[in-house]
Amino acid sequence: MEFNMKDGGFYAEFDYGRLDISGDEKYGIRPYQLLVSSLAVCSGGVLRNILEKMRMDVDDIHISAEAERNEEKANRIEKVNIHFKIKGSGLEEARIEKAMKLTKKNCSMVQSVSGAITVEESFEIINDER
């Protein structure tokens, strides 16, 4: 990856388009937002693949993520809470709990910050009665 300086931050060009990054939201996505997004979306993608392999009927996964930061230590991210709302038909809590454990173990972004940032994942099931 290559990053180029611009007013208020940096940018990078990718096949899908341009990514603007800045510590000021007026100029781009903030670095901590990228980190939290990477954790959440990597986990979501891994979870989706696992649920598909488990042949679970999932219609939608909504992810919310919140970061807890330590202002006394350069505002570092200490903890990220990731919550999945999983919508589908006939979803079973025990099977999703198993999928969640596999997700945490197999998400490269979560494993990359292991030991430095606490990542807690939770879920709720929204059974879609068809």
Side-chain angles (χ1 to χ4, degrees), residues 47 51 56 61-62 82-86 91-101 120-126:
L47 177 61
L51 294 173
M56 297 185 78
I61 299 174
H62 175 85
I82 304 171
H83 183 72
F84 301 93
K85 290 182 182 177
I86 305 165
L91 301 177
E92 299 171 25
E93 189 168 338
R95 292 183 73 204
I96 292 180
E97 283 177 6
K98 181 179 179 181
M100 293 293 292
K101 288 178 185 172
E120 289 189 357
E121 297 173 329
S122 59
F123 70 92
E124 65 184 275
I125 297 171
I126 303 169

Side-chain angles (χ1 to χ4, degrees), residues 42 46 50 101-111:
C42 178
V46 171
I50 290 169
K101 288 178 185 172
L102 289 168
T103 295
K104 193 164 196 169
K105 179 180 175 184
N106 291 290
C107 173
S108 62
M109 295 296 99
V110 170
Q111 290 303 311

Side-chain angles (χ1 to χ4, degrees), residues 5-23:
M5 192 168 78
K6 67 171 193 132
D7 286 343
F10 293 84
Y11 72 92
E13 297 285 347
F14 296 98
D15 290 342
Y16 69 87
R18 179 173 157 149
L19 175 63
D20 291 287
I21 307 162
S22 174

